Amino acid sequence: MGVTTVIYEIDQWSFAKQSLIHFLLMFITVYPVLLFSCWFPLNNLKDALLIFLYFAIVGLVIWSVLAVVFKIIQS
């Protein structure tokens, strides 16, 4: 998962594109792990959507905090 941070070193891409590609790679790798790890109940589509909601919220919080930290560091 840490390898995906290399995406943010591609200067030709906008920050929005870097973030979207990073999200998609995390979705492809982390979301299936969450589904099949038995950390959450998975009995129906509603459960899968709830797991996605957790994934998205936690990802957004982590992304926001790190974006602010790196902006401060680069200043």
Side-chain angles (χ1 to χ4, degrees):
M1 293 182 302
V3 173
T4 60
T5 59
V6 174
I7 292 167
Y8 293 101
E9 295 178 15
I10 303 173
D11 295 329
Q12 302 92 304
W13 290 359
S14 68
F15 184 64
K17 183 176 181 176
Q18 292 169 340
S19 298
L20 178 63
I21 299 296
H22 184 260
F23 174 81
L24 292 174
L25 288 172
M26 290 291 101
F27 177 74
I28 291 168
T29 57
V30 175
Y31 183 64
V33 171
L34 293 174
L35 289 177
F36 301 114
S37 67
C38 298
W39 290 345
F40 300 95
L42 182 60
N43 301 312
N44 52 42
L45 182 60
K46 182 181 175 186
D47 290 342
L49 292 174
L50 187 60
I51 294 168
F52 174 76
L53 185 62
Y54 293 148
F55 166 79
I57 290 171
V58 169
L60 182 61
V61 168
I62 292 170
W63 178 87
S64 299
V65 168
L66 290 176
V68 168
V69 167
F70 284 118
K71 192 170 191 172
I72 291 170
I73 289 172
Q74 290 179 347
S75 297

